[in-house]
Amino acid sequence: MNPDPFTDVIAFVTNPLWTTVVFWLLTIASVVIAALAWRQLPDQQNLSNLLRYAMRFVMGGFWWQQSLWKLPPLYTDHPEAPFGDTGLAYWVGLMGKHAAIPLQADFVNNIVLPHFYLFAPIVYAAEVLTAVSLMLGAFVGLFGVIGALQILNLWLGLYSAPGEWPWTYFFLLLLMASFSLDRYGRSLGIDAMLVAPPRPKRLLGWVS
């Protein structure tokens, strides 16, 4: 039986791992933040913000899921395999072979791969923080740019890799850029609360 997105999602959210617990905690936090923003900020109460929130949350979930096959300390989901055959090292190796720009290939082959365990935590942290930013709507302007730069690196690095359609990455780049430019964090996210005008304080029944 071929896999389908519905069973894949169910398997993802029910996988008995610590990463699933963290994902559910982020999901609960995201819903609570959205509910608070909806209740406390009248300008948030519209369909446009709901749709922007949904798009941002789903993309955050995608980023989180993509971090699961490159977990530290070995940054692979198959630690028994030789280095470079699976996980992050495999894809970095592909970039060294198929990058569209020779300078990028040289950087990967001569600097990144020989010092893989110096760069791997940076890549992993950037992906996880991008996921958390999108799910919670926190500093999306910044992490939208960071996410777009990560996708730009993949687009050019895997441009001629076998089995890859490079324009997939370009579409993702545009999506992440739009999250930043259109300030999606201000739709039922922490960013919306940070930029909201202060609420009047009530002292002894009077508004001050």
Side-chain angles (χ1 to χ4, degrees):
M1 182 177 178
N2 291 330
D4 64 80
F6 305 106
T7 55
D8 280 350
V9 168
I10 293 173
F12 169 63
V13 299
T14 58
N15 197 5
L17 298 172
W18 69 266
T19 52
T20 307
V21 175
V22 176
F23 176 79
W24 275 109
L25 291 175
L26 287 171
T27 298
I28 293 170
S30 178
V31 172
V32 169
I33 291 166
L36 288 174
W38 180 276
R39 180 179 179 181
Q40 297 179 3
L41 306 174
D43 63 336
Q44 293 285 301
Q45 299 170 9
N46 56 66
L47 180 61
S48 175
N49 281 321
L50 277 174
L51 292 176
R52 286 168 175 255
Y53 164 70
M55 292 174 61
R56 171 171 57 75
F57 176 83
V58 169
M59 284 304 300
F62 288 164
W63 277 96
W64 177 262
Q65 196 232 17
Q66 283 302 300
S67 73
L68 301 182
W69 55 264
K70 57 176 75 72
L71 293 173
L74 298 179
Y75 303 95
T76 176
D77 52 351
H78 291 284
E80 74 283 355
F83 177 82
D85 284 0
T86 64
L88 183 59
Y90 170 78
W91 289 98
V92 173
L94 282 184
M95 294 174 66
K97 297 175 183 176
H98 302 287
I101 301 174
L103 184 62
Q104 183 183 15
D106 291 340
F107 179 75
V108 168
N109 290 325
N110 299 323
I111 297 179
V112 176
L113 280 174
H115 305 91
F116 175 78
Y117 289 106
L118 175 64
F119 287 92
I122 299 173
V123 173
Y124 175 75
E127 291 195 11
V128 169
L129 290 175
T130 301
V132 173
S133 169
L134 292 179
M135 293 180 74
L136 302 184
F139 308 107
V140 174
L142 171 62
F143 282 98
V145 172
I146 291 174
L149 291 175
Q150 293 177 77
I151 299 298
L152 176 64
N153 180 57
L154 292 174
W155 176 48
L156 296 175
L158 299 174
Y159 196 81
S160 63
E164 292 288 311
W165 189 47
W167 295 106
T168 301
Y169 296 107
F170 190 76
F171 295 150
L172 289 173
L173 187 158
L174 295 179
L175 185 60
M176 292 302 301
S178 70
F179 284 175
S180 177
L181 293 173
D182 291 338
R183 301 174 178 179
Y184 270 51
R186 297 188 183 185
S187 294
L188 301 175
I190 290 176
D191 289 347
M193 297 181 178
L194 292 177
V195 300
R199 301 174 68 188
K201 298 179 180 179
R202 294 184 178 273
L203 295 177
L204 300 177
W206 296 90
V207 176
S208 60

